[in-house]
Amino acid sequence: EAGVVQSPRYKIIEKKQPVAFWCNPISGHNTLYWYLQNLGQGPELLIRYENEEAVDDSQLPKDRFSAERLKGVDSTLKIQPAELGDSAVYLCASSPGQGNRQGYEQYFGPGTRLTVT
Amino acid sequence: ELKVEQNPLFLSMQEGKNYTIYCNYSTTSDRLYWYRQDPGKSLESLFVLLSNGAVKQEGRLMASLDTKARLSTLHITAAVHDLSATYFCAGPSGGGADGLTFGKGTHLIIQP
């Protein structure tokens, strides 16, 4: 079974430029998460989707960040414009969702390492 | 809002020794997760602890959960160099299939 796929793996951009990250979750997983991980820290939740609905975006800086999950499968996270402080690893995770206790486990993708110069 | 505290944050130990990483969390939770992260890699799920008193073991790692004390432990037995990594504990931010709140991680170095 394929894991969570993310692209690109690395991205270097200048500040004020836009950038987008793509995530393909594990097949059949209804719940998708985007996390941000700063160097030396644990991941922090940005947004959670149940199918195509964003059910928790309270931590997403909406002035410059946006996300979508059309058709409830793949998801895209966008930053426009990027700032120096956005340099971090952006992780996507998926989960089978509610319905059984094992469904709560989250599986993480390899991440996209963003450097803003 | 759940808060998760791990200690120690840094640990250097010798091969063959035993040690325990502690994870305290602030609000009632019936689930606790442990992840491993190698440098430059993503997070690998180690354990999902689903109930009070739960104990799970995989190789030299054993995790336990005490929901009354709001404490989980990750015990390392007879450490080997391959276990060098950063270990994170995490709990559901608000219950259900929520996002997770992570601790800051324990950076573990095991020296030959």
Side-chain angles (χ1 to χ4, degrees), chain A residues 20-108:
Chain A
F21 315 125
W22 176 81
C23 172
N24 179 242
I26 293 173
S27 177
H29 281 195
N30 298 325
T31 308
L32 183 146
Y33 312 80
W34 283 102
Y35 289 85
L36 174 155
Q37 186 175 24
N38 287 305
L39 186 65
Q41 302 293 318
E44 300 170 29
L45 180 69
L46 290 173
I47 190 169
R48 173 171 68 95
Y49 281 94
E50 293 290 341
N51 299 303
E52 66 275 7
E53 182 183 0
V55 295
D56 183 1
D57 62 354
S58 58
Q59 302 304 312
L60 189 73
K62 298 180 183 66
D63 56 336
R64 297 184 300 107
F65 286 66
S66 64
E68 60 182 12
R69 191 184 184 198
L70 300 175
K71 300 181 181 179
V73 181
D74 296 356
S75 178
T76 302
L77 178 68
K78 299 178 181 178
I79 308 175
Q80 182 171 10
E83 297 179 352
L84 294 177
D86 296 332
S87 296
V89 175
Y90 291 82
L91 295 164
C92 179
S94 71
S95 169
Q98 300 192 43
N100 60 75
R101 303 194 81 175
Q102 285 69 33
Y104 293 152
E105 185 163 1
Q106 295 184 23
Y107 300 84
F108 283 80

Side-chain angles (χ1 to χ4, degrees), chain A residues 12-27:
Chain A
I12 301 174
I13 60 171
E14 293 183 347
K15 63 181 181 182
K16 300 185 181 180
Q17 294 300 307
V19 65
F21 315 125
W22 176 81
C23 172
N24 179 242
I26 293 173
S27 177

